[in-house]
Amino acid sequence: MTIYLDGKFVSEDEAKVSVFDHGLLYGDGVFEGIRLYSGKIFRLEQHLNRLFASAKAIMLQIPMTKPALTEACCDTCARNKLSDGYIRLVVTRGVGYLGLNPFKCKNPTVFIIASTIELYPEDVYRKGLNLITAGTIRNSPAAMSPAIKSLNYLNNILAKIEAVNAGTVEALMLNADGYVAECTGDNVFVVRDGKLQTPPISAGSLNGITRGVVMELAAKLGVAVTEPNLTRYDVMTADECFLTGTAAEIVPVATLDGRPIGSGKPGVLTLKLTGEFRKLTRSEGTAIARG
Ligand code: PMP
């Protein structure tokens, strides 16, 4: 595997960062997870826009332009001969001293991994996922905004541990007010009376690219989407529920805390949106091969 690291393409063995990198010491950095379908990177511009917004929020100056990052992402995929895969683009604060001060780190570290990912077993997509509600509350937007896609994922990991301990793969996270925020690595939607609902970003969720794509697809299908605050009750009594994420794509949810949602099987609108999503991801994107 060939990795992009600070302007060079290196082998996996050579792709090493310093133990003094603040990305490692403090989780001080930002990242994106991006998909490649049929030789084209899906929604790369949106991912780069979010990366720059996350960096801005933590006063991190990304040392490359968006066109340069686009080229680096394309070249990393091409060098690994990928046509379908998953790209991890990471920008850390860089090497510093053993104190928090981020401004003592002179050069941010930039690396890109292009590989494949299978987040959930095939079964989950066919039968639906069994979701649990995590006891771990999502980070408060007033403390550490979940809208920043940072290298600090411990809040999510604590909830993920709960999911795994409960014998499943994903957990619903509530905010401090008891409203649904999102899952550990995915946004959440419910279907009620043929309409879609998803929590507002202000409830403590990432402004998911897939979430946005689903909203676009719903508009094309003439399906209304609103962003109200949702409670566990709203999820339990919904007709359908599904999760969205770049790696996960669209995941039907069968149960929440052992209670079937709707029929307890992937819902009609969920499956319709999944079909439309599949068509879209294969039809647009930034081609990795130039010329
Ligand atoms: N929420 C969290 C916490 C995430 O980490 C992710 C990405 N894995 C998402 C939502 C989904 O965002 P996107 O559709 O942009 O991948």
Side-chain angles (χ1 to χ4, degrees):
M1 191 188 292
T2 302
I3 315 269
Y4 175 92
L5 176 59
D6 291 332
K8 295 196 188 88
F9 289 99
V10 297
S11 70
E12 207 173 320
D13 287 348
E14 292 168 296
K16 303 255 162 62
V17 295
S18 165
V19 294
F20 292 98
D21 192 305
H22 279 211
L24 176 62
L25 285 177
Y26 298 117
D28 187 354
V30 294
F31 78 102
E32 283 296 317
I34 311 164
R35 277 239 188 212
L36 170 75
Y37 296 99
S38 312
K40 286 181 281 183
I41 304 178
F42 188 64
R43 299 289 166 112
L44 179 58
E45 198 183 335
Q46 288 182 11
H47 281 285
L48 291 180
N49 288 344
R50 188 173 65 187
L51 182 80
F52 275 78
S54 295
K56 176 108 199 226
I58 66 164
M59 282 195 84
L60 168 62
Q61 187 81 39
I62 298 180
M64 291 169 73
T65 61
K66 286 180 193 172
L69 280 170
T70 299
E71 193 177 326
C73 285
C74 289
D75 288 352
T76 311
C77 291
R79 281 175 186 251
N80 286 288
K81 300 193 172 19
L82 280 176
S83 66
D84 290 87
Y86 179 81
I87 303 161
R88 178 58 58 90
L89 165 57
V90 182
V91 185
T92 79
R93 189 74 68 177
V95 172
Y97 80 133
L98 289 178
L100 277 184
N101 190 346
F103 304 117
K104 291 202 171 179
C105 305
K106 292 290 168 246
N107 301 306
T109 305
V110 180
F111 62 87
I112 303 168
I113 306 167
S115 184
T116 53
I117 193 166
E118 195 188 298
L119 202 62
Y120 302 129
E122 224 281 296
D123 234 30
V124 161
Y125 293 88
R126 254 185 311 113
K127 296 187 190 152
L129 187 149
N130 297 315
L131 205 55
I132 60 140
T133 308
T136 304
I137 295 299
R138 189 76 181 103
N139 278 338
S140 159
M144 221 293 287
S145 174
I148 303 172
K149 198 163 169 64
S150 84
L151 296 178
N152 262 284
Y153 257 57
L154 269 181
N155 179 229
N156 315 56
I157 290 166
L158 290 176
K160 182 83 171 185
I161 287 170
E162 294 186 56
V164 175
N165 283 349
T168 189
V169 289
E170 187 52 298
L172 188 69
M173 298 185 77
L174 308 179
N175 63 25
D177 296 322
Y179 291 116
V180 174
E182 59 178 342
C183 292
T184 72
D186 308 305
N187 290 110
V188 60
F189 281 83
V190 294
V191 179
R192 184 179 292 280
D193 301 327
K195 296 177 190 145
L196 282 177
Q197 296 180 322
T198 189
I201 301 307
S202 58
S205 61
L206 184 71
N207 193 355
I209 307 294
T210 321
R211 175 183 183 272
V213 170
V214 163
M215 286 170 152
E216 284 172 29
L217 292 174
K220 274 197 198 133
L221 294 173
V223 173
V225 187
T226 54
E227 299 174 64
N229 273 318
L230 296 172
T231 61
R232 275 176 79 223
Y233 167 88
D234 296 317
V235 180
M236 284 170 179
T237 60
D239 302 324
E240 301 178 28
C241 175
F242 61 87
L243 313 182
T244 62
T246 296
E249 301 177 303
I250 297 176
V251 191
V253 177
T255 63
L256 174 64
D257 300 317
R259 298 160 180 248
I261 298 174
S263 67
K265 295 196 182 85
V268 174
L269 187 55
T270 304
L271 294 174
K272 174 98 188 132
L273 287 165
T274 304
E276 295 298 319
F277 181 77
R278 197 158 289 154
K279 274 193 250 165
L280 183 71
T281 53
R282 271 70 175 177
S283 68
E284 62 156 68
T286 307
I288 60 167
R290 270 160 291 164

